[in-house]
Amino acid sequence: MDLNLLFISTLLGCLYYSNAGQEGNECIMARAKSCGECIQVGEKCGWCTKPHFLRRGEPTSARCDELESLKKRCPHDLIENPRGSQTVLVNKPVTNRKETSEKMKPEDITQIQPQKMSLNLRPDEAQSLKLNFRRTEDYPIDLYYLMHLSSSKDDLENIKNLGTSLMHEMSKFTSDFRIGFGSFVEKTVMPYISTTPAKLLNPCTGDQNCTSPFSYKNVLRLTSDGNQFNTLVGQQQISENLDSPEGGFDAIMQVAVCGEHIGWRNVTRLLVFSTDAGFHFAGDGKLGEIVLSDDGKCHLKDGMCTISHYYDNPSIAHLAQKLSDNNIQTIFAVTEEFQHVYKELKNLIPKSAVGILSANSSNVINLIIDAYKSLSSEVILENSKLPEGVTIKYQSHCKNGVVNEGENGRKCSNISIGDQVFFDISITAHKCPKNGLSESIKIKPLGFTEEVEILLNFICECECHDAGQANSPYCNNGNGTFECGACRCNEGRIGRHCECSTEEVNSDDLDANCRKDNGTDICSTNGDCICGECVCKKRENPSEVYSGKYCECDNFNCDRSNNMICGGHGECVCRVCQCEANYTGSACDCSLDTTTCLASNKQICNGRGTCECGTCKCTDPKFQGPTCEICPTCPGVCTEHKECVQCRAFQTGEKKDTCERDCSYFNLIKVKDRDELPQPNQAFPLMHCKERDANDCWFYYTYAINNTEKEVHVVEIQACPARRGLH
């Protein structure tokens, strides 16, 4: 490899100088070369635009640091720190039907607020918004009844009057109710049905008259005429297929995506799926040599599905997505035999419910009413696909003060008509999009047509970026753009002022400028040589800094006292403490303040010592203590302590009743005889005492101050005169 090219690569790498100790300060670790790069690191990072901010040896990336650190060195008005914001664009209040008696059009009813917002997102700074949802009174309902015609005649017979009966029951919930009807059998190929000519005309056995098999048929478009529903259902005939599973997924897909044919409005959409069997799903089409995946498009002609023999059955995930996209809530009305199958399916299809049909479908109205109550009592928020690097969090505030977080933060349960709930939503962009363009997401309650549109704008550059001066003379005669107080070099140029060309560098000449006193260490091993100039490394602690022309200085290797650099009373400058006015010493641990040396007579060290670093050094050996006022060997010491020694050692004397209160200021050590008393050759002053009590008994003790502890050694047996006998 070309040595010059190798050096260029190494030199460029040095711009991203490494230091394993920088973990913990993400702003420093990012080694941002511009203000825009800096603010994308995190919300704690700021950029100093002060022209002469950098110390000697610091790289341009030192302008990027945590805000609290920057404020110590950079004027606040020169710190770039753009913050995110939000604007409400459309904010119609939720509808309260109790406040008006006028009949409202569906499009005039509002159940979620606000409807449109704009967010300005700075990376890693969350923007929080509040959504308000109210389940309004008398909200319109569209219900489509989809039935498997392989069922018995009893099932058809029992739903012939479903239209008018359901109209009556649903009037308790809404004055605007429409109903439609569709039916399905199976894919019209072997082995799902018999393809013999006779069976295609009448698939049933015996003398039973059945209609030809078909995939799906839209019998009745949604209508408010319940009698029409009854009439058309009464004209239907059952059919037959060969296998037990059915082609119901084909029918559900067409009902979901053929909105114009079905007549769906932007209101509550209910799909009742009635069957007494299981279902085929994606992959089963191979049995009939069908391998093309379902395309999720509408394929109705004259009410009939035309392509069931061409496309495979939809997958459960595909079906769930289409139902969600079209705001359809599904009620699976199934016989008890298959309830466990459809309960598992319910868990995979949001906003769906399962009800158990009686053998002849006679309970279908109660089933629908109960399922509708269950579905409408729960609101679940979902969002469209998020842009790369964007996350969202939900917190729900439901009835009775219930607060949910995490996945449960998307929903509220047990909501009655007229109830109002709230959602706190937090949106965070963890990075800027590659194209830098705005994005849009939508949030909506499942099963409802209303939604909230949120425009996402990304803060990826600083305000000072727009004022940048291209080809600035400050950047080595036009070799870069001067913006935000620093040079952003043109391609092929490096260095703080873009003064170095990557094509013309000479490593020997450059490194020589980075060695102190012609030594061997480059930048004192504390930095990298960039364009013949030392760029000092950063440390994990942003307050610890290498500096100097050769990075030979630092502010953290000075002498310490009390485990603090310069004792906490000075500044470490190039490894030497510069002490505050009242301190001196290599670690600034020597105080020049004499206040602590003043004795009670206001003399420094009682006139018997010198004050050194705030502490008395007693020059008279008889005196000791913090201010040289204690003299254990001076006359009067024995008399002063006699009463306390007597009461503590022998429980006699004038202070025996107040002994514990008045005489606990010394440590008492008893010895057996006078020979065991301490002698004056100890390292601290000592006074021998001989005192007599009221009974003419003598007792012997010593008094001393050992450092700051007062000690009394006493002979435990008194010397008393002999008693003469009485005659």
Side-chain angles (χ1 to χ4, degrees), residues 644-651 659 663-671 700-702 710-715:
C644 279
V645 173
Q646 187 179 354
C647 80
R648 287 190 61 184
F650 309 111
Q651 293 78 48
C659 193
C663 301
S664 58
Y665 59 86
F666 58 82
N667 295 326
L668 182 70
I669 301 102
K670 291 183 178 181
V671 298
Y700 300 88
Y701 67 93
T702 60
K710 298 179 176 67
E711 289 184 352
V712 171
H713 287 72
V714 61
V715 178

Side-chain angles (χ1 to χ4, degrees), residues 29-103:
M29 288 173 60
R31 305 178 184 94
K33 294 181 291 183
S34 67
C35 186
E37 289 183 13
C38 178
I39 64 169
Q40 292 183 46
V41 176
E43 62 175 328
K44 295 181 180 180
C45 301
W47 178 273
C48 182
T49 63
K50 182 180 177 182
H52 303 292
F53 169 75
L54 298 176
R55 301 186 183 101
R56 187 161 194 170
E58 283 189 317
T60 300
S61 61
R63 293 180 178 274
C64 182
D65 204 343
E66 291 182 350
L67 293 169
E68 293 305 313
S69 297
L70 275 184
K71 290 175 182 177
K72 298 175 183 178
R73 294 180 54 197
C74 186
H76 291 198
D77 60 337
L78 295 180
I79 296 177
E80 281 283 332
N81 178 33
R83 313 310 300 179
S85 61
Q86 56 183 263
T87 305
V88 178
L89 302 177
V90 181
N91 194 31
K92 291 170 57 179
V94 292
T95 302
N96 188 344
R97 300 293 288 272
K98 293 181 179 179
E99 297 177 354
T100 178
S101 58
E102 297 181 7
K103 188 171 181 65

Side-chain angles (χ1 to χ4, degrees), residues 4 7-8 11 494 500-507 510 531:
N4 200 45
F7 175 74
I8 293 173
L11 189 60
I494 54 176
C500 198
S501 169
T502 58
E503 297 178 354
E504 301 172 354
V505 294
N506 184 302
S507 59
L510 292 175
C531 290

